[in-house]
């Protein structure tokens, strides 16, 4: 209880972002016991990880990059967690693939906290309605929210905004923080951090 009052819950999950990295850099991290990995492309992740599942059944793969609706089924087949649900057409494609037998997975809604036109994610003003629609119309129960703050802004206010949107929607998981800002993200309540270059070296 004391830890909770101090604002800390569980130790955040480290999502090791292995995109683009050569296998020689990934293998030692896997051997050291890391089991949660993040990838941003379906096909690249398939090529890299499909065979690893046989020897590492406790592997957890997370999709952290934008997902095209026509790859919804492939993504559900491969990833345990899809962190980038951000639009109606994708939600519909995921729900339909599940209805046709694809595995039901864990989901996050990506929020474009900086409202950057080039960035994926639902804008903050639309987040509540989108989450509600996922639950009631698509039968998709997100477990949390994910964001990537603008590169040229202090990340703290973006993390705080994400935490606020999550709280008012009854979500307690926050995927936020990368190599450059994961310590800040943890202070703002991140339950998972996505760290690539700080772990594997520059891409
Ligand atoms: C690449 C990527 C990361 C990891 O970035 P680093 O700065 O290398 O830690 C985290 N999240 C997303 C969504 C990414 O695409």
């Amino acid at each position: 209880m004391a830890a909770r009052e101090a604002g800390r819950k569980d130790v955040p999950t480290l999502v090791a972002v292995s995109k683009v990295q050569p296998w020689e850099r990934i293998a030692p991290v896997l051997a050291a016991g890391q089991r949660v990995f993040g990838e941003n492309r379906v096909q690249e992740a398939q090529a890299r990880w499909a065979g690893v599942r046989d020897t590492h059944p406790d592997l957890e793969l997370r999709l952290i990059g934008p997902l095209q609706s026509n790859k919804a089924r492939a993504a559900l087949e491969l990833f345990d967690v899809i962190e980038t649900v951000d639009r109606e057409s994708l939600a519909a494609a995921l729900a339909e693939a599940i209805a046709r037998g694809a595995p039901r997975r864990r989901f996050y809604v990506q929020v474009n906290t900086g409202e950057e036109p080039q960035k994926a994610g639902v804008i903050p003003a639309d987040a509540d309605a989108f989450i509600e629609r996922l639950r009631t119309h698509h039968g998709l129960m997100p477990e949390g929210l994910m964001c990537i703050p603008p590169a040229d802004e202090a990340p703290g206010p973006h993390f705080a905004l994400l935490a606020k949107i999550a709280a008012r929607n009854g979500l307690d998981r926050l995927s936020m923080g990368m190599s450059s800002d994961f310590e800040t993200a943890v202070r703002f309540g991140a339950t998972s951090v996505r760290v690539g270059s700080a772990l594997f070296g520059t891409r």
Side-chain angles (χ1 to χ4, degrees), residues 17 19 40 64 146 148 178-179 194-197 203:
V17 178
K19 65 181 184 195
N40 67 341
I64 60 169
M146 177 271 217
I148 310 168
M178 315 192 347
S179 291
R194 309 177 309 267
V195 179
S197 46
R203 286 181 293 271

